[in-house]
Amino acid sequence: DTAVSQTPKYLVTQMGNDKSIKCEQNLGHDTMYWYKQDSKKFLKIMFSYNNKELIINETVPNRFSPKSPDKAHLNLHINSLELGDSAVYFCASSPNAGRNTEAFFGQGTRLTVV
Amino acid sequence: GDSVTQMEGPVTLSEEAFLTINCTYTATGYPSLFWYVQYPGEGLQLLLKATKADDKGSNKGFEATYRKETTSFHLEKGSVQVSDSAVYFCAFNTGGFKTIFGAGTRLFVKA
């Protein structure tokens, strides 16, 4: 059983399109995240959710809209895709937001905008 | 602001060589420190962690010691294997709903 699963694994789309990435965790965690990893492997937090509520939005463009229908799911919808959105997007979860808590990552979604 | 600085890669070693990857951090508050590893085509997974000063985290032959006085958490392994080839991320968490990651260090181990 995969603990944090994302779909799709690969996504190739044209500029201007709208796309969604889905994430589900079966660990019973309260906190979920979206991270963006650029071509140089730099990993940056985009959003944090706790019990379905948005806690952190790290100055991400409005074209990115996360949605958490329940604690186990955190989806990412992207409108009007741009070339600069090409990256690997990772979903993660943790039991809570405590400082000692590790994050569990999905396998990533490689988004390529052409 | 909060940040992690780790040595730039790639680091290329021969099998059985000694590995050190340097990591220093700047954090407001008292962080827990982590090393994550990312194997090709996979997500990050926790390698080890330390939650207070002078703690040593260890796993799979890797070790790192929380040095508060030098704000460092250097990763070491005495004898690397080809299977250790991956990207290693130093990170910390102060409990603010996010983990701050370094830029990652790619390690190549040659047989």
Side-chain angles (χ1 to χ4, degrees):
Chain A
D1 267 354
T2 305
V4 182
S5 59
Q6 301 177 222
T7 53
K9 190 168 182 183
Y10 300 98
L11 186 53
V12 181
T13 188
Q14 292 189 325
M15 276 173 49
N17 282 353
D18 303 338
K19 291 293 178 186
S20 291
I21 307 171
K22 296 188 175 181
C23 177
E24 175 182 4
Q25 54 96 1
N26 62 6
L27 299 167
H29 289 170
D30 286 344
T31 309
M32 296 186 73
Y33 314 85
W34 279 109
Y35 282 87
K36 179 180 179 181
Q37 185 177 48
D38 63 23
S39 58
K40 295 185 178 180
K41 299 292 188 183
F42 186 70
L43 203 66
K44 186 169 165 51
I45 184 83
M46 299 174 69
F47 302 102
S48 296
Y49 269 73
N50 192 58
N51 284 318
K52 302 192 303 175
E53 288 193 26
L54 177 66
I55 304 296
I56 287 179
N57 177 342
E58 285 284 300
T59 60
V60 176
N62 289 341
R63 299 182 296 104
F64 290 79
S65 51
K67 281 191 172 50
S68 183
D70 55 58
K71 265 180 28 171
H73 294 84
L74 179 61
N75 304 323
L76 183 65
H77 187 76
I78 316 169
N79 289 327
S80 304
L81 277 154
E82 301 177 357
L83 293 177
D85 297 331
S86 295
V88 181
Y89 292 84
F90 285 100
C91 177
S93 72
S94 61
N96 52 61
R99 61 183 279 281
N100 296 343
T101 305
E102 71 173 278
F104 294 77
F105 283 79
Q107 287 207 316
T109 296
R110 182 175 293 278
L111 171 65
T112 304
V113 182
V114 297
Chain B
D2 291 349
S3 65
V4 176
T5 302
Q6 57 183 108
M7 64 190 283
E8 278 191 44
V11 173
T12 303
L13 296 173
S14 297
E15 217 167 14
E16 299 184 6
F18 184 86
L19 168 72
T20 300
I21 301 178
N22 289 338
C23 170
T24 58
Y25 64 90
T26 300
T28 48
Y30 190 2
S32 287
L33 304 177
F34 304 84
W35 277 100
Y36 285 83
V37 58
Q38 184 180 24
Y39 298 105
E42 297 185 11
L44 282 72
Q45 55 187 275
L46 181 69
L47 179 61
L48 54 85
K49 72 178 185 182
T51 59
K52 61 183 190 297
D54 301 324
D55 268 3
K56 178 185 283 189
S58 60
N59 185 25
K60 300 181 181 179
F62 291 89
E63 293 183 339
T65 300
Y66 190 142
R67 300 287 187 204
K68 192 162 185 265
E69 64 278 9
T70 55
T71 62
S72 64
F73 193 52
H74 305 321
L75 182 68
E76 295 182 337
K77 187 175 185 183
S79 176
V80 294
Q81 305 300 313
V82 171
S83 57
D84 293 327
S85 298
V87 182
Y88 292 82
F89 292 88
C90 184
F92 72 80
N93 188 329
T94 55
F97 285 97
K98 62 182 176 181
T99 299
I100 305 295
F101 288 88
T105 302
R106 187 183 292 275
L107 171 66
F108 291 106
V109 181
K110 302 180 297 185

